Amino acid sequence: MRRVAVLGSTGSIGRQALEVIEACAGSLSVHSLLCRSNAELLSAQAARFSPAATCMLSPQAGRAAPSGTVTGDEAIEAAIEGCDIVLNAITGFAGLRASLVAAALGRPLALANKESLVTGGVLLREHLDAGLVIPVDSEHSTIARCLEGASRPPRRIILTASGGALRDLPPAAAAAASPAEVLSHPTWDMGPRITVDSATLVNKAFEVIEAGWLFPGVETGVLIHPRSIVHSLVEMEDGSYRALLGVPDMRVPIQHALLGASDPRGFAVPDDPVSWPALEFSALDHGRYPAFGTVIAAGTAGGTAPAAANAADEVAVAAFLAGEMPFGGIAEVVAAVMAAHGAAPVERFEDVVAADARAREEARRAIERIV
Ligand code: MG
């Protein structure tokens, strides 16, 4: 029995992880639950799973947490201590500290929080080298599974991208799209920030950076694949491709990360290839997704640059979702922040925190200039 610390339990990935744990009750159990502030759902989850620890990062006045809930600075340590595996499904930069605690305590890390690697990959290098970072991101989970048993490194890996909710709109109409339009993702069921990031392709640029940490030394490409049936491709030395196909469902990579390759399966997504659409692929239209190139350049620059790009994107996406700025403003804000950012090396967590804070201030100034 593997006891899972479910960090981000009230979010989209966290809720789907709890479904997987219930379906695999003979192999998995809930060790702890941690969320940011959704006290009502956390209480319901605690009543259902009876975890050893219930934790909340930012409790809000007037919302009653379950009795005994650990809050604030000690919450992450309290959730991770005593578990067998950590599922980090916290949204955004806030997830990095949880990944670092998991690494410090030597716990396997099933990582859905790609920002951990984007902003602080260098700080997780020992944990990566030890094979203790297991991707939950569907593309990286696919690539890891395709590489199982491969004796030689691949020639190239290719991340597939749906192109997001706005892929068929003329660029001018896309730039003026509403939050509701952007949030209706065509294929994957995900949280709001990542769904917006899918429409700008910032998510895909982060995934390229993430792949650089998980599969070092391997060239990474991106293709548009609108129906999300092929969950990424691995090009082998002989020019043939390995892929994993199926209906898009995050519970599959979550289960794989928590159970590993050798355990019995507890959960399956029924599907029939007869129902699949045509498997179309096309090259990325960089003009349609200007933020993609900006974030890729930040990844190439390295150091604190990807953390600044992530902070700019988090602030810009929040402003867009709050109705303060048009969709097209997100790429402008990220570009403005990166133009102002002088990248520095990352040696410790505080370096990333400082770069993140500076980039957030710069992003707010950029938003004021836009609106
Ligand atoms: Mg993904």
Side-chain angles (χ1 to χ4, degrees):
M1 183 72 84
R2 301 187 100 184
R3 293 163 299 165
V4 186
V6 183
L7 313 186
S9 67
T10 58
S12 171
I13 296 289
R15 295 194 309 268
Q16 294 181 77
L18 292 176
E19 281 183 53
V20 168
I21 292 170
E22 256 187 334
C24 304
S27 312
L28 299 171
S29 67
V30 174
H31 172 72
S32 60
L33 299 166
L34 177 143
C35 76
R36 185 167 54 91
S37 60
N38 188 341
E40 293 80 9
L41 183 51
L42 185 68
S43 297
Q45 291 175 340
R48 187 174 188 103
F49 291 97
S50 305
T54 309
C55 310
M56 201 183 293
L57 292 173
S58 309
Q60 291 175 347
R63 302 179 75 178
S67 65
T69 294
V70 182
T71 60
D73 288 346
E74 289 84 44
I76 289 173
E77 281 82 356
I80 292 177
E81 271 165 13
C83 78
D84 297 312
I85 184 167
V86 176
L87 173 74
N88 184 355
I90 294 173
T91 295
F93 179 63
L96 173 59
R97 203 175 84 75
S99 290
L100 296 177
V101 171
L105 295 176
R107 293 298 187 279
L109 175 62
L111 188 61
N113 175 261
K114 69 190 71 183
E115 293 85 351
S116 291
L117 290 174
V118 170
T119 66
V122 71
L123 304 174
L124 288 164
R125 189 176 271 153
E126 277 180 39
H127 216 49
L128 285 159
D129 289 347
L132 291 173
V133 180
I134 308 134
V136 174
D137 208 345
S138 63
E139 293 80 359
H140 307 76
S141 172
T142 293
I143 292 161
R145 293 174 73 179
C146 287
L147 291 174
E148 279 169 14
S151 55
R152 309 260 310 157
R155 180 187 286 175
R156 188 170 60 130
I157 57 184
I158 297 174
L159 308 177
T160 50
S162 72
L166 310 177
R167 66 183 179 222
D168 299 323
L169 286 182
S178 70
E181 287 172 274
V182 175
L183 288 178
S184 61
H185 193 277
T187 49
W188 289 98
D189 173 16
M190 304 180 293
R193 193 234 172 170
I194 191 172
T195 304
V196 177
D197 282 349
S198 296
T200 57
L201 247 61
V202 164
N203 178 57
K204 205 53 57 179
F206 286 158
E207 288 180 352
V208 171
I209 298 171
E210 183 185 12
W213 289 107
L214 288 165
F215 312 106
V218 180
E219 183 191 337
T220 304
V222 173
L223 282 179
I224 299 291
H225 171 51
R227 307 305 285 267
S228 306
I229 296 291
V230 175
H231 310 316
S232 294
L233 293 157
V234 176
E235 183 182 359
M236 307 308 290
E237 258 185 333
D238 62 2
S240 61
Y241 286 82
R242 292 184 180 184
L244 202 71
L245 287 75
V247 287
D249 190 317
M250 283 307 299
R251 292 172 295 184
V252 174
I254 291 167
Q255 169 168 268
H256 191 263
L258 295 181
L259 281 176
S262 56
D263 284 289
R265 306 284 95 171
F267 179 85
V269 182
D271 189 26
D272 183 350
V274 170
S275 70
W276 290 351
L279 302 181
E280 296 168 340
F281 299 92
S282 59
L284 186 60
D285 174 356
H286 287 262
R288 175 176 274 278
Y289 303 104
F292 177 83
T294 310
V295 176
I296 291 291
T300 306
T304 53
N310 175 71
D313 182 67
E314 285 192 23
V315 172
V317 168
F320 165 66
L321 289 174
E324 296 164 10
M325 187 179 74
F327 176 76
I330 298 172
E332 289 181 52
V333 170
V334 176
V337 170
M338 294 323 295
H341 182 77
V346 171
E347 280 160 16
R348 58 188 85 79
F349 178 56
E350 289 72 22
D351 298 335
V352 191
V353 172
D356 174 88
R358 279 199 310 276
R360 281 171 200 271
E361 283 174 27
E362 188 64 41
R364 287 186 199 101
R365 283 195 290 274
I367 291 167
E368 279 172 24
R369 290 196 297 271
I370 289 170
V371 298

